[in-house]
Amino acid sequence: MSARATPPLDGIRVVELGGIGPVPHAGMLLASLGADVVRVERSGAEPDERAWDGTRRGRTVISADLKSAEDVRRIRALVAAADVLVEGFRPGAAERTGLGPDELRALNPGLVYGRMTGWGQHGPWAGRAGHDINYIGLTGALHAIGDDRPLPPLNLVGDFGGGSAYLVLGVVSALVRRGRTGEGCEIDAAIVDGTGSLMQLIWSLRADGRWQDRRAANLLDGGTPFYRTYRCADGGWMAVGALEPVFYRAMLDGLGLTGPDVPDRADPARWPELEALLASTFASRPRRHWESVFEGTDACVTPVLTMDEAPAHPHMAARSVLRNDPGGVLAAAAPREAGAEASYLTASTHLSVDEALRRWREPTAPRS
């Protein structure tokens, strides 16, 4: 945010019970929107144990033993001054520590209690262990991604797309409602739910007969010659998203493929020929050549940048999306207020539970 902008969650206090994957990412998103996030790590963990993980920045970090009645008492006192709590334990685990939603909302009726799991709070698999690949495997999403075998799309679809983003949406929506009613609520955010929601367009295409239930055979999964990646002469890659006819024609113009011998893209039977032609053309020149050819065009042909290249790309640099820091690349806060400069969360601050509680008990402006 710019120096003049007030972050949208300024004044909102969040307790984040330590976890991995979507929970710290949700805490990062809430902190980047201006929330004051206190992350509770297990006692005995080294202060820099997770220093490599940029999703844990921008917090106050405290250590506590959730098996200690005294530490739980202190955490409950912290929650009494909070607006939001987020946790990622298996169903029932928070209740066994004395930090379940019923107990805490009796203490703080306005509390928004956000629960993040893979399988959800109920259902036959609710108590099972799992990771991103397991959760999205149950939704149809993993089956749809890949070529000869399903390929995990990093952990972007499950942990973050279907997980933390939906948890934050639920939390922020509950805060809006609390502003009208004064009452908090419990949010059940499950990766299987969020991923199912992300898949809605694909389900609709399937129902309309426009999506086959197999990989690399459809419009958006690399099955079409005009929506996929192509290798260049230097080993680099170009991404082609020339779906609409006007974009497709611009791509052919850039490739110098304008004669009558170009296979008709409207005929799926000729797609293998078209794909071979496009592949051989892209492979004839290095990536930098094709970047130059398609610069400033609406052909929807762009480079596939490596992780090392991405921060320095002119567009990424102009928006300050990524910043090289001594500890690694940092992503700017997102979303950002229109016109505001990019901002980056700072390193976390370590305090004792009592120090964090004293800070929150200091007088502040009224909260929403």
Side-chain angles (χ1 to χ4, degrees), residues 148-160:
D148 61 326
R149 65 174 180 173
L151 295 176
L154 307 183
N155 63 336
L156 302 180
V157 171
D159 278 350
F160 304 141

Side-chain angles (χ1 to χ4, degrees), residues 136-150 199 202-219 221:
I136 69 173
L138 215 64
T139 68
L142 182 58
H143 174 78
I145 300 170
D147 39 44
D148 61 326
R149 65 174 180 173
M199 284 284 288
I202 308 305
W203 288 117
S204 298
L205 291 171
R206 173 78 173 143
D208 197 40
R210 292 189 288 164
W211 193 274
Q212 301 180 62
D213 196 17
R214 58 189 182 92
R215 290 178 296 280
N218 300 285
L219 184 65
D221 64 358

Side-chain angles (χ1 to χ4, degrees), residues 179-195:
R180 298 194 304 267
T181 68
E183 295 184 0
C185 67
E186 178 183 348
I187 300 295
D188 176 5
I191 291 174
V192 291
D193 296 355
T195 305

Side-chain angles (χ1 to χ4, degrees), residues 5-367:
T6 300
L9 294 185
D10 183 54
I12 297 296
R13 294 169 169 177
V14 179
V15 174
E16 173 195 337
L17 299 184
I20 62 174
V23 171
H25 191 261
M28 182 193 77
L29 294 177
L30 292 167
S32 71
L33 291 170
D36 183 350
V37 182
V38 173
R39 177 175 168 85
V40 182
E41 294 274 15
R42 64 178 178 82
S43 295
E46 294 296 325
D48 61 348
E49 184 180 34
R50 296 290 184 177
W52 55 268
D53 186 349
T55 67
R56 285 168 165 76
R57 57 198 162 102
R59 322 278 215 287
T60 296
V61 179
I62 62 177
S63 296
D65 180 1
L66 298 188
K67 295 181 180 179
S68 162
E70 181 58 23
D71 278 5
V72 169
R73 183 191 67 78
R74 288 190 174 98
I75 298 302
R76 287 169 60 88
L78 194 64
V79 173
D83 300 284
V84 177
L85 180 142
V86 293
E87 56 96 351
F89 303 141
R90 294 196 202 187
E95 284 83 349
R96 290 191 292 274
T97 68
L99 297 173
D102 292 342
E103 294 170 283
L104 295 186
R105 291 191 58 237
L107 181 69
N108 179 356
L111 182 70
V112 174
Y113 193 108
R115 317 195 78 166
M116 182 76 257
T117 59
W119 308 115
Q121 294 298 314
H122 69 273
W125 285 19
R128 292 181 62 165
H131 280 294
D132 179 293
I133 193 171
N134 308 116
Y135 309 135
I136 69 173
L138 215 64
T139 68
L142 182 58
H143 174 78
I145 300 170
D147 39 44
D148 61 326
R149 65 174 180 173
L151 295 176
L154 307 183
N155 63 336
L156 302 180
V157 171
D159 278 350
F160 304 141
S164 56
Y166 278 81
L167 173 60
V168 170
L169 174 63
V171 164
V172 172
S173 299
L175 288 172
V176 171
R177 185 175 66 183
R178 192 191 69 174
R180 298 194 304 267
T181 68
E183 295 184 0
C185 67
E186 178 183 348
I187 300 295
D188 176 5
I191 291 174
V192 291
D193 296 355
T195 305
S197 175
L198 292 174
M199 284 284 288
Q200 184 57 70
L201 173 62
I202 308 305
W203 288 117
S204 298
L205 291 171
R206 173 78 173 143
D208 197 40
R210 292 189 288 164
W211 193 274
Q212 301 180 62
D213 196 17
R214 58 189 182 92
R215 290 178 296 280
N218 300 285
L219 184 65
L220 302 175
D221 64 358
T224 59
F226 39 87
Y227 196 89
R228 53 158 295 174
T229 57
Y230 289 96
R231 186 190 293 270
C232 304
D234 58 352
W237 294 81
M238 295 294 287
V240 171
L243 292 176
E244 292 81 358
V246 63
F247 301 152
Y248 180 72
R249 286 193 295 271
M251 179 192 69
L252 293 183
D253 288 343
L255 294 173
L257 300 174
T258 56
D261 294 334
V262 177
D264 183 4
R265 84 171 210 159
D267 182 1
R270 302 200 67 188
W271 283 356
E273 298 174 62
L274 180 56
E275 179 180 324
L277 177 61
L278 295 179
S280 64
T281 304
F282 276 107
S284 69
R285 297 292 186 91
R287 195 190 78 186
R288 186 174 298 277
H289 169 80
W290 296 121
E291 289 183 63
S292 176
V293 166
F294 290 106
E295 179 66 28
T297 75
D298 276 343
C300 299
V301 179
T302 54
V304 178
L305 301 181
T306 67
M307 292 174 68
D308 287 337
E309 293 173 321
H313 185 273
H315 183 79
M316 301 290 279
R319 292 185 58 82
S320 303
V321 178
L322 302 169
R323 186 177 78 185
N324 282 302
D325 270 28
V329 173
L330 296 181
R336 68 183 78 172
E337 187 173 343
E341 297 176 359
S343 67
Y344 304 87
L345 295 177
T346 60
S348 295
T349 301
H350 292 261
L351 298 176
S352 69
V353 179
D354 290 335
E355 288 171 331
L357 186 56
R358 279 196 297 273
R359 183 169 66 81
W360 273 11
R361 281 177 170 167
E362 292 174 358
T364 61
R367 292 177 282 152

